Amino acid sequence: MREADFAQPFDVVIIGAGVAGAMAALLSSRAGLRTLLVERQVFPRHKVCGCCLNGRAIRILEQSGLKQGLEKLEPANTSLLAIRYRGQKLNVPMPSNVAVSRSAFDHWLVREAVAAGCLFVDDMTATVAPLASELNRDATNFAATKATDDSEQRCVDLHTSGFLHHESRSHASPPNASSGTIRVTAAVVLVCDGLGHPSLSRLQDFKAPSIVGSRIGLGAVFPITSGDDWIKTGEILMAVAPHGYAGLVRIENQQWDLAAAIDPSHLNHSKSPLVSLESIFHSAGVPVPEALPEAAIKGTPALTRTARKIAGHRLFLLGDSAGYVEPFTGEGMAWALTAATAIVPLVQKVTRNGWSNDFVNQWQNTFQSIVSREQKVCRLLSAALKRPWLLPPILATCRAFPSLTRYLVSQINRVPEALKVT
């Protein structure tokens, strides 16, 4: 990639190389769009996540010709969700799902995108420049940003902290890299940078505050030991306590992936995140994984959020940037893949036919039909997990009516009709 190529407009700039961003970059590049993917962390990287790919996610990858590549990552097979609460047990059969670390999965998708022609840069933060119409109309701001109010492009400021060199990205530095800030332009910008979407910090209408009572996410990856043989192969363990829950699943290379959601008040009163996690396992009536005390535990901001807007002028939000609902067995990654698959045809329309404000409503309606409605089950489960008195009757109902449980599982795992390849 030549330095001058950074100065030429892109068809699409994608901010955030998680599942939604990397998949959108791959499909955009395959569609012949000039694509730039920007990531603030150094790849590969660990991410707090349950790491499960459910039936919907696997079928979407298969439809995109990615099933064989996924298998090369050697993911662990899963077939049972084992819920444990104060000694009570509920085993929910799941379709044949898999679990793979986000470090391996996201890096693989990025490499696929690069192979398809995408330019990828990591270790950079991105900020979407506001249009004059999106700012307060004071003289200073209006004069400084008048040039960005261009119906033919969006501007994104990239802030460098040093370029690293590895096989999945360009070795060329973009123009003016020494100054620390680079401005690139695009016909469309896709915002996929996660909770709170920091890339939109200068666009006040796109704030996504956390919901009151939102839990904090904790996660870790650590080795499986012989002392963990009480967890059966193929089992996704969900240990539930009044103050939070922790999911545990095998991933590649004989490792556990742990992802938890915990009340912030409990974390504040605990000696450490480890103590909070251990208390969940104890409360659920199961042992603490043997290597957890030595694991590096990472945290997240408050989890549950609702984005006020998910589309604007030449700007679309997807993935966790479009709002966050606590997932349970791979729904989050499936929603990200679903949205990425659905957005690319819309991006193609913009680059081919020019911008229309109708595209804002189109994406809002599409996202509502293929993602938001599917999140209702998880919203209900999340609400139930925050009300411990509800859990015993819910577990009893699921045990008494297994057909209802199977129906809910099938709904979570189905591929929306709009995404099916005939």
Side-chain angles (χ1 to χ4, degrees), residues 11-14 24 28 31 33-35 187-190 314 316 318 340 342-355 359 363:
D11 292 318
V12 56
V13 170
I14 301 170
S28 295
L33 300 177
R34 189 162 185 273
T35 304
V188 177
V189 174
L190 302 183
R314 296 183 178 272
F316 302 107
L318 54 156
I343 194 64
V344 174
L346 192 56
V347 174
Q348 288 179 282
K349 288 181 181 179
V350 176
T351 57
R352 183 171 58 244
N353 303 324
W355 177 258
F359 292 137
W363 180 237

mmCIF file of all heavy atoms in Angstrom, residues 11-14 24 28 31 33-35 187-190 314 316 318 340 342-355 359 363:
data_model
loop_
_atom_site.group_PDB
_atom_site.id
_atom_site.type_symbol
_atom_site.label_atom_id
_atom_site.label_comp_id
_atom_site.label_asym_id
_atom_site.label_seq_id
_atom_site.Cartn_x
_atom_site.Cartn_y
_atom_site.Cartn_z
ATOM 1 N N ASP A 11 -14.194 3.973 0.003
ATOM 2 C CA ASP A 11 -15.627 3.720 -0.082
ATOM 3 C C ASP A 11 -16.214 3.578 1.310
ATOM 4 O O ASP A 11 -17.301 4.094 1.606
ATOM 5 C CB ASP A 11 -15.893 2.444 -0.892
ATOM 6 C CG ASP A 11 -15.540 2.601 -2.354
ATOM 7 O OD1 ASP A 11 -15.845 3.662 -2.936
ATOM 8 O OD2 ASP A 11 -14.941 1.667 -2.922
ATOM 9 N N VAL A 12 -15.483 2.869 2.176
ATOM 10 C CA VAL A 12 -15.976 2.656 3.533
ATOM 11 C C VAL A 12 -14.808 2.609 4.500
ATOM 12 O O VAL A 12 -13.797 1.956 4.239
ATOM 13 C CB VAL A 12 -16.826 1.364 3.625
ATOM 14 C CG1 VAL A 12 -16.064 0.145 3.139
ATOM 15 C CG2 VAL A 12 -17.353 1.144 5.036
ATOM 16 N N VAL A 13 -14.932 3.343 5.606
ATOM 17 C CA VAL A 13 -14.004 3.256 6.727
ATOM 18 C C VAL A 13 -14.748 2.582 7.867
ATOM 19 O O VAL A 13 -15.861 2.991 8.232
ATOM 20 C CB VAL A 13 -13.496 4.642 7.166
ATOM 21 C CG1 VAL A 13 -12.738 4.538 8.490
ATOM 22 C CG2 VAL A 13 -12.598 5.252 6.096
ATOM 23 N N ILE A 14 -14.157 1.530 8.423
ATOM 24 C CA ILE A 14 -14.781 0.750 9.489
ATOM 25 C C ILE A 14 -13.950 0.915 10.750
ATOM 26 O O ILE A 14 -12.737 0.651 10.744
ATOM 27 C CB ILE A 14 -14.886 -0.731 9.092
ATOM 28 C CG1 ILE A 14 -15.712 -0.864 7.804
ATOM 29 C CG2 ILE A 14 -15.501 -1.552 10.225
ATOM 30 C CD1 ILE A 14 -15.680 -2.248 7.197
ATOM 31 N N ALA A 24 -17.657 -7.073 8.451
ATOM 32 C CA ALA A 24 -18.073 -6.043 7.499
ATOM 33 C C ALA A 24 -16.932 -5.669 6.564
ATOM 34 O O ALA A 24 -17.137 -5.444 5.362
ATOM 35 C CB ALA A 24 -18.581 -4.808 8.242
ATOM 36 N N SER A 28 -17.176 -6.217 2.619
ATOM 37 C CA SER A 28 -17.037 -5.004 1.808
ATOM 38 C C SER A 28 -15.909 -5.151 0.794
ATOM 39 O O SER A 28 -16.047 -4.773 -0.373
ATOM 40 C CB SER A 28 -16.776 -3.793 2.710
ATOM 41 O OG SER A 28 -17.873 -3.521 3.545
ATOM 42 N N ALA A 31 -16.810 -7.316 -2.017
ATOM 43 C CA ALA A 31 -17.743 -6.642 -2.916
ATOM 44 C C ALA A 31 -17.045 -5.611 -3.801
ATOM 45 O O ALA A 31 -17.709 -4.930 -4.592
ATOM 46 C CB ALA A 31 -18.851 -5.980 -2.107
ATOM 47 N N LEU A 33 -15.323 -2.942 -2.696
ATOM 48 C CA LEU A 33 -15.281 -1.610 -2.100
ATOM 49 C C LEU A 33 -13.903 -1.327 -1.529
ATOM 50 O O LEU A 33 -13.270 -2.209 -0.943
ATOM 51 C CB LEU A 33 -16.330 -1.493 -0.992
ATOM 52 C CG LEU A 33 -17.784 -1.718 -1.415
ATOM 53 C CD1 LEU A 33 -18.705 -1.651 -0.204
ATOM 54 C CD2 LEU A 33 -18.205 -0.697 -2.457
ATOM 55 N N ARG A 34 -13.444 -0.116 -1.717
ATOM 56 C CA ARG A 34 -12.154 0.298 -1.155
ATOM 57 C C ARG A 34 -12.349 0.512 0.348
ATOM 58 O O ARG A 34 -13.020 1.443 0.780
ATOM 59 C CB ARG A 34 -11.672 1.574 -1.837
ATOM 60 C CG ARG A 34 -10.250 1.941 -1.454
ATOM 61 C CD ARG A 34 -9.630 2.915 -2.443
ATOM 62 N NE ARG A 34 -8.252 3.131 -2.079
ATOM 63 C CZ ARG A 34 -7.841 4.051 -1.201
ATOM 64 N NH1 ARG A 34 -8.717 4.860 -0.644
ATOM 65 N NH2 ARG A 34 -6.562 4.170 -0.901
ATOM 66 N N THR A 35 -11.746 -0.368 1.146
ATOM 67 C CA THR A 35 -12.096 -0.501 2.558
ATOM 68 C C THR A 35 -10.896 -0.262 3.457
ATOM 69 O O THR A 35 -9.817 -0.801 3.233
ATOM 70 C CB THR A 35 -12.651 -1.919 2.832
ATOM 71 O OG1 THR A 35 -13.758 -2.168 1.953
ATOM 72 C CG2 THR A 35 -13.104 -2.065 4.272
ATOM 73 N N ALA A 187 -17.045 7.450 1.706
ATOM 74 C CA ALA A 187 -18.456 7.596 1.358
ATOM 75 C C ALA A 187 -19.351 7.139 2.496
ATOM 76 O O ALA A 187 -20.442 7.667 2.696
ATOM 77 C CB ALA A 187 -18.763 6.799 0.091
ATOM 78 N N VAL A 188 -18.871 6.153 3.270
ATOM 79 C CA VAL A 188 -19.633 5.608 4.400
ATOM 80 C C VAL A 188 -18.664 5.290 5.533
ATOM 81 O O VAL A 188 -17.547 4.820 5.282
ATOM 82 C CB VAL A 188 -20.387 4.314 4.005
ATOM 83 C CG1 VAL A 188 -21.121 3.720 5.206
ATOM 84 C CG2 VAL A 188 -21.376 4.570 2.870
ATOM 85 N N VAL A 189 -19.095 5.521 6.759
ATOM 86 C CA VAL A 189 -18.340 5.113 7.941
ATOM 87 C C VAL A 189 -19.201 4.129 8.737
ATOM 88 O O VAL A 189 -20.370 4.404 9.018
ATOM 89 C CB VAL A 189 -17.958 6.315 8.824
ATOM 90 C CG1 VAL A 189 -17.297 5.841 10.118
ATOM 91 C CG2 VAL A 189 -17.028 7.254 8.071
ATOM 92 N N LEU A 190 -18.626 2.990 9.073
ATOM 93 C CA LEU A 190 -19.287 2.006 9.930
ATOM 94 C C LEU A 190 -18.626 2.051 11.309
ATOM 95 O O LEU A 190 -17.410 1.882 11.424
ATOM 96 C CB LEU A 190 -19.175 0.599 9.337
ATOM 97 C CG LEU A 190 -19.740 0.395 7.930
ATOM 98 C CD1 LEU A 190 -19.610 -1.075 7.526
ATOM 99 C CD2 LEU A 190 -21.188 0.853 7.844
ATOM 100 N N ARG A 314 -24.317 9.299 6.207
ATOM 101 C CA ARG A 314 -23.190 8.466 5.790
ATOM 102 C C ARG A 314 -22.535 7.753 6.974
ATOM 103 O O ARG A 314 -21.326 7.545 7.014
ATOM 104 C CB ARG A 314 -22.150 9.287 5.019
ATOM 105 C CG ARG A 314 -22.695 9.838 3.702
ATOM 106 C CD ARG A 314 -21.637 10.584 2.912
ATOM 107 N NE ARG A 314 -22.190 11.042 1.639
ATOM 108 C CZ ARG A 314 -22.201 10.323 0.515
ATOM 109 N NH1 ARG A 314 -21.672 9.121 0.515
ATOM 110 N NH2 ARG A 314 -22.726 10.805 -0.594
ATOM 111 N N PHE A 316 -23.265 4.530 9.956
ATOM 112 C CA PHE A 316 -24.095 3.436 10.472
ATOM 113 C C PHE A 316 -23.383 2.781 11.647
ATOM 114 O O PHE A 316 -22.168 2.594 11.623
ATOM 115 C CB PHE A 316 -24.358 2.385 9.392
ATOM 116 C CG PHE A 316 -25.035 2.916 8.163
ATOM 117 C CD1 PHE A 316 -24.331 3.075 6.987
ATOM 118 C CD2 PHE A 316 -26.379 3.263 8.186
ATOM 119 C CE1 PHE A 316 -24.947 3.570 5.844
ATOM 120 C CE2 PHE A 316 -27.008 3.757 7.050
ATOM 121 C CZ PHE A 316 -26.295 3.911 5.875
ATOM 122 N N LEU A 318 -23.160 -0.645 14.195
ATOM 123 C CA LEU A 318 -23.489 -2.059 14.310
ATOM 124 C C LEU A 318 -22.609 -2.703 15.367
ATOM 125 O O LEU A 318 -21.692 -2.087 15.889
ATOM 126 C CB LEU A 318 -23.365 -2.790 12.973
ATOM 127 C CG LEU A 318 -22.070 -2.720 12.185
ATOM 128 C CD1 LEU A 318 -21.962 -3.933 11.254
ATOM 129 C CD2 LEU A 318 -22.045 -1.473 11.298
ATOM 130 N N ALA A 340 -23.345 -7.287 10.287
ATOM 131 C CA ALA A 340 -22.294 -7.059 9.290
ATOM 132 C C ALA A 340 -22.713 -7.564 7.918
ATOM 133 O O ALA A 340 -22.448 -6.924 6.890
ATOM 134 C CB ALA A 340 -21.006 -7.743 9.733
ATOM 135 N N ALA A 342 -25.786 -7.812 6.844
ATOM 136 C CA ALA A 342 -26.900 -7.013 6.335
ATOM 137 C C ALA A 342 -26.476 -5.614 5.896
ATOM 138 O O ALA A 342 -27.111 -5.024 5.010
ATOM 139 C CB ALA A 342 -27.984 -6.910 7.405
ATOM 140 N N ILE A 343 -25.419 -5.057 6.490
ATOM 141 C CA ILE A 343 -25.063 -3.664 6.195
ATOM 142 C C ILE A 343 -24.363 -3.504 4.855
ATOM 143 O O ILE A 343 -24.471 -2.458 4.209
ATOM 144 C CB ILE A 343 -24.181 -3.074 7.324
ATOM 145 C CG1 ILE A 343 -24.089 -1.544 7.227
ATOM 146 C CG2 ILE A 343 -22.794 -3.660 7.301
ATOM 147 C CD1 ILE A 343 -25.393 -0.828 7.421
ATOM 148 N N VAL A 344 -23.632 -4.508 4.405
ATOM 149 C CA VAL A 344 -22.807 -4.348 3.201
ATOM 150 C C VAL A 344 -23.635 -4.032 1.955
ATOM 151 O O VAL A 344 -23.256 -3.140 1.181
ATOM 152 C CB VAL A 344 -21.896 -5.569 2.994
ATOM 153 C CG1 VAL A 344 -21.151 -5.480 1.657
ATOM 154 C CG2 VAL A 344 -20.890 -5.662 4.147
ATOM 155 N N PRO A 345 -24.781 -4.697 1.702
ATOM 156 C CA PRO A 345 -25.582 -4.293 0.543
ATOM 157 C C PRO A 345 -26.022 -2.830 0.608
ATOM 158 O O PRO A 345 -26.118 -2.161 -0.429
ATOM 159 C CB PRO A 345 -26.788 -5.235 0.602
ATOM 160 C CG PRO A 345 -26.287 -6.437 1.325
ATOM 161 C CD PRO A 345 -25.331 -5.907 2.350
ATOM 162 N N LEU A 346 -26.282 -2.325 1.815
ATOM 163 C CA LEU A 346 -26.654 -0.923 1.964
ATOM 164 C C LEU A 346 -25.473 -0.008 1.646
ATOM 165 O O LEU A 346 -25.629 1.036 0.996
ATOM 166 C CB LEU A 346 -27.166 -0.674 3.384
ATOM 167 C CG LEU A 346 -27.872 0.655 3.653
ATOM 168 C CD1 LEU A 346 -29.041 0.862 2.700
ATOM 169 C CD2 LEU A 346 -28.365 0.706 5.096
ATOM 170 N N VAL A 347 -24.287 -0.394 2.097
ATOM 171 C CA VAL A 347 -23.081 0.380 1.767
ATOM 172 C C VAL A 347 -22.858 0.410 0.255
ATOM 173 O O VAL A 347 -22.502 1.446 -0.329
ATOM 174 C CB VAL A 347 -21.847 -0.215 2.484
ATOM 175 C CG1 VAL A 347 -20.570 0.491 2.023
ATOM 176 C CG2 VAL A 347 -21.998 -0.086 3.993
ATOM 177 N N GLN A 348 -23.093 -0.707 -0.399
ATOM 178 C CA GLN A 348 -22.948 -0.755 -1.847
ATOM 179 C C GLN A 348 -23.909 0.209 -2.533
ATOM 180 O O GLN A 348 -23.553 0.873 -3.519
ATOM 181 C CB GLN A 348 -23.201 -2.177 -2.365
ATOM 182 C CG GLN A 348 -22.085 -3.163 -2.030
ATOM 183 C CD GLN A 348 -22.405 -4.551 -2.548
ATOM 184 O OE1 GLN A 348 -23.191 -5.287 -1.953
ATOM 185 N NE2 GLN A 348 -21.805 -4.909 -3.665
ATOM 186 N N LYS A 349 -25.132 0.303 -2.027
ATOM 187 C CA LYS A 349 -26.093 1.235 -2.604
ATOM 188 C C LYS A 349 -25.612 2.671 -2.485
ATOM 189 O O LYS A 349 -25.747 3.471 -3.419
ATOM 190 C CB LYS A 349 -27.454 1.084 -1.911
ATOM 191 C CG LYS A 349 -28.204 -0.184 -2.243
ATOM 192 C CD LYS A 349 -29.550 -0.202 -1.525
ATOM 193 C CE LYS A 349 -30.319 -1.473 -1.815
ATOM 194 N NZ LYS A 349 -31.633 -1.504 -1.095
ATOM 195 N N VAL A 350 -25.053 3.013 -1.320
ATOM 196 C CA VAL A 350 -24.570 4.373 -1.114
ATOM 197 C C VAL A 350 -23.430 4.691 -2.083
ATOM 198 O O VAL A 350 -23.401 5.759 -2.713
ATOM 199 C CB VAL A 350 -24.108 4.580 0.340
ATOM 200 C CG1 VAL A 350 -23.515 5.978 0.517
ATOM 201 C CG2 VAL A 350 -25.265 4.370 1.310
ATOM 202 N N THR A 351 -22.476 3.778 -2.194
ATOM 203 C CA THR A 351 -21.316 4.041 -3.062
ATOM 204 C C THR A 351 -21.700 4.039 -4.536
ATOM 205 O O THR A 351 -21.063 4.715 -5.351
ATOM 206 C CB THR A 351 -20.215 2.999 -2.821
ATOM 207 O OG1 THR A 351 -20.728 1.679 -3.041
ATOM 208 C CG2 THR A 351 -19.695 3.091 -1.385
ATOM 209 N N ARG A 352 -22.741 3.284 -4.873
ATOM 210 C CA ARG A 352 -23.142 3.191 -6.286
ATOM 211 C C ARG A 352 -24.093 4.324 -6.694
ATOM 212 O O ARG A 352 -23.966 4.908 -7.775
ATOM 213 C CB ARG A 352 -23.814 1.841 -6.526
ATOM 214 C CG ARG A 352 -24.218 1.598 -7.976
ATOM 215 C CD ARG A 352 -24.674 0.153 -8.181
ATOM 216 N NE ARG A 352 -25.783 -0.213 -7.319
ATOM 217 C CZ ARG A 352 -25.725 -1.138 -6.369
ATOM 218 N NH1 ARG A 352 -24.596 -1.799 -6.136
ATOM 219 N NH2 ARG A 352 -26.786 -1.422 -5.644
ATOM 220 N N ASN A 353 -25.045 4.666 -5.814
ATOM 221 C CA ASN A 353 -26.111 5.595 -6.186
ATOM 222 C C ASN A 353 -26.028 6.945 -5.505
ATOM 223 O O ASN A 353 -26.805 7.843 -5.833
ATOM 224 C CB ASN A 353 -27.478 4.967 -5.871
ATOM 225 C CG ASN A 353 -27.674 3.631 -6.558
ATOM 226 O OD1 ASN A 353 -27.230 3.434 -7.681
ATOM 227 N ND2 ASN A 353 -28.333 2.698 -5.866
ATOM 228 N N GLY A 354 -25.116 7.103 -4.547
ATOM 229 C CA GLY A 354 -25.067 8.344 -3.785
ATOM 230 C C GLY A 354 -25.917 8.265 -2.535
ATOM 231 O O GLY A 354 -26.689 7.328 -2.335
ATOM 232 N N TRP A 355 -25.784 9.265 -1.689
ATOM 233 C CA TRP A 355 -26.446 9.249 -0.393
ATOM 234 C C TRP A 355 -27.894 9.702 -0.493
ATOM 235 O O TRP A 355 -28.236 10.615 -1.249
ATOM 236 C CB TRP A 355 -25.712 10.138 0.606
ATOM 237 C CG TRP A 355 -26.402 10.208 1.937
ATOM 238 C CD1 TRP A 355 -27.176 11.222 2.419
ATOM 239 C CD2 TRP A 355 -26.441 9.180 2.931
ATOM 240 N NE1 TRP A 355 -27.669 10.899 3.657
ATOM 241 C CE2 TRP A 355 -27.230 9.650 3.997
ATOM 242 C CE3 TRP A 355 -25.864 7.908 3.014
ATOM 243 C CZ2 TRP A 355 -27.461 8.901 5.133
ATOM 244 C CZ3 TRP A 355 -26.104 7.164 4.155
ATOM 245 C CH2 TRP A 355 -26.891 7.659 5.203
ATOM 246 N N PHE A 359 -31.681 6.092 3.655
ATOM 247 C CA PHE A 359 -30.825 5.007 4.133
ATOM 248 C C PHE A 359 -30.802 4.941 5.654
ATOM 249 O O PHE A 359 -30.581 3.873 6.228
ATOM 250 C CB PHE A 359 -29.401 5.165 3.591
ATOM 251 C CG PHE A 359 -29.296 4.948 2.104
ATOM 252 C CD1 PHE A 359 -28.523 5.803 1.321
ATOM 253 C CD2 PHE A 359 -29.948 3.900 1.492
ATOM 254 C CE1 PHE A 359 -28.412 5.609 -0.043
ATOM 255 C CE2 PHE A 359 -29.842 3.701 0.121
ATOM 256 C CZ PHE A 359 -29.079 4.557 -0.649
ATOM 257 N N TRP A 363 -31.687 1.389 7.561
ATOM 258 C CA TRP A 363 -30.852 0.644 8.495
ATOM 259 C C TRP A 363 -31.528 0.473 9.844
ATOM 260 O O TRP A 363 -31.452 -0.589 10.461
ATOM 261 C CB TRP A 363 -29.483 1.313 8.669
ATOM 262 C CG TRP A 363 -28.606 0.555 9.629
ATOM 263 C CD1 TRP A 363 -28.023 1.008 10.762
ATOM 264 C CD2 TRP A 363 -28.212 -0.828 9.515
ATOM 265 N NE1 TRP A 363 -27.296 0.018 11.380
ATOM 266 C CE2 TRP A 363 -27.393 -1.118 10.633
ATOM 267 C CE3 TRP A 363 -28.470 -1.831 8.589
ATOM 268 C CZ2 TRP A 363 -26.843 -2.384 10.849
ATOM 269 C CZ3 TRP A 363 -27.921 -3.092 8.797
ATOM 270 C CH2 TRP A 363 -27.118 -3.361 9.908
#
